[in-house]
Amino acid sequence: MIMSANAPNLQAVRQKIMTQVAKSGRQAESVRLLAVSKTRPVADVWAAIQAGQLDFGENYAQEGVDKILALRELLRKLPPDTPPDFAPIWHFIGPLQSNKTRLVAQHFTWVHAITRLKIAERLSEQRPEHLPPLQVCVQVNVSGEASKSGCAPAETRELCHKVAALPRLRLRGLMCIPAPTADFAAQCRPFAALRRIFLDLQGEGLALDTLSMGMSDDLEAAIHEGSTLVRVGTAIFGVRKSS
Ligand SMILES: *Cc1c(COP(=O)(O)O)cnc(C)c1O
């Protein structure tokens, strides 16, 4: 067994989630933790799996696929009595270019950052028949900054209805990456805005269950505003080297 250096960090993040969930009067199981493993070696992911973590997020298609295949090899070597739910679930959370959609459709279970119909259509066409539909979220630019990617709030409704109609995708919800700020009330605002759009779409009959919002520095505000999935990198694996 590899000693997992990030196990205490994982435990601390889980504790932080539990504390905020309780403070916000929500159910303990209502928030899913996604460990963002971009730029981290396979050994870090392996250690996190051994510490009970199953959901992982990657931003770069080729790096992610290399890791997925390496982990599959490691898992194949586990003893036969290993529980079946020991297998990681891979989420593609980065911006997605047309030339990378096939790779992502073939290897990932989730895609969080759908911002245009064209990308969603390609993913639906390229999702292999033997796999279940790709689980997707539409990314919304709730802070309205030109530099941040995401669908404009005014265009979200139309995009979501079109994505939901694609045969090989299953629209699960919305995602956002607001501009960083240290102030709790300011962190809450864009998350609350995303939640309002989410509730409107549910009201229009879309069966959505996922609000992908909150990272290392704003996960408490996100949980306070109804996040069902937080994407945490730094607080689990440490500070990333800038590329
Ligand atoms: C890198 C990244 C994260 C994790 O950010 P941390 O601040 O390291 O927790 C979450 N979501 C997305 C989309 C990312 O690219």
Side-chain angles (χ1 to χ4, degrees):
M1 277 270 175
I2 299 164
M3 266 308 292
S4 81
N6 51 45
N9 287 351
L10 258 173
Q11 195 45 46
V13 171
R14 286 185 191 131
Q15 191 54 57
K16 204 171 177 180
I17 293 170
M18 295 304 276
T19 302
Q20 186 59 49
V21 158
K23 257 195 210 170
S24 303
R26 299 183 51 196
Q27 297 292 323
E29 274 78 49
S30 62
V31 181
R32 182 168 177 172
L33 172 60
L34 176 61
V36 178
S37 48
K38 64 183 178 201
T39 79
R40 313 293 177 176
V42 169
D44 282 12
V45 177
W46 184 231
I49 291 173
Q50 288 178 308
Q53 178 62 30
L54 286 180
D55 286 286
F56 292 92
E58 289 286 334
N59 282 55
Y60 311 101
Q62 191 59 58
E63 179 197 332
V65 170
D66 290 348
K67 246 177 260 184
I68 290 168
L69 297 178
L71 261 303
R72 195 171 296 163
E73 271 310 297
L74 280 173
L75 287 158
R76 261 181 357 105
K77 294 177 189 143
L78 289 178
D81 60 349
T82 307
D85 60 356
F86 205 62
I89 299 162
W90 294 95
H91 301 242
F92 192 81
I93 61 172
L96 188 48
Q97 305 298 323
S98 296
N99 61 351
K100 293 289 173 12
T101 52
R102 186 176 298 279
L103 209 50
V104 169
Q106 286 172 339
H107 293 279
F108 285 81
T109 301
W110 283 72
V111 173
H112 286 239
I114 301 286
T115 60
R116 309 183 271 143
L117 184 60
K118 184 179 166 229
I119 296 292
E121 285 171 341
R122 287 177 68 91
L123 288 170
S124 183
E125 279 159 22
Q126 295 167 344
R127 181 65 168 173
E129 278 302 323
H130 69 279
L131 294 175
L134 193 59
Q135 314 293 300
V136 303
C137 292
V138 162
Q139 182 182 357
V140 185
N141 184 2
V142 270
S143 328
E145 305 154 50
S147 63
K148 293 277 172 187
S149 77
C151 174
E155 289 156 17
T156 302
R157 183 175 172 273
E158 190 183 346
L159 179 60
C160 283
H161 282 279
K162 286 182 173 163
V163 170
L166 293 171
R168 299 290 294 142
L169 302 189
R170 178 157 170 233
L171 181 64
R172 296 291 296 268
L174 304 175
M175 179 268 217
C176 70
I177 312 174
T181 163
D183 177 62
F184 186 83
Q187 287 179 350
C188 284
R189 252 170 259 134
F191 294 140
L194 192 70
R195 180 152 186 270
R196 277 193 296 275
I197 299 172
F198 177 82
L199 292 173
D200 286 347
L201 292 169
Q202 281 183 329
E204 291 174 8
L206 291 181
L208 308 183
D209 63 5
T210 302
L211 267 173
S212 170
M213 54 189 203
M215 320 203 316
S216 293
D217 293 330
D218 57 13
L219 67 90
E220 283 141 319
I223 292 169
H224 186 67
E225 296 298 343
S227 170
T228 68
L229 185 153
V230 290
R231 308 176 312 268
V232 180
T234 309
I236 294 172
F237 298 110
V239 177
R240 282 180 298 276
K241 293 189 200 80
S242 54
S243 48

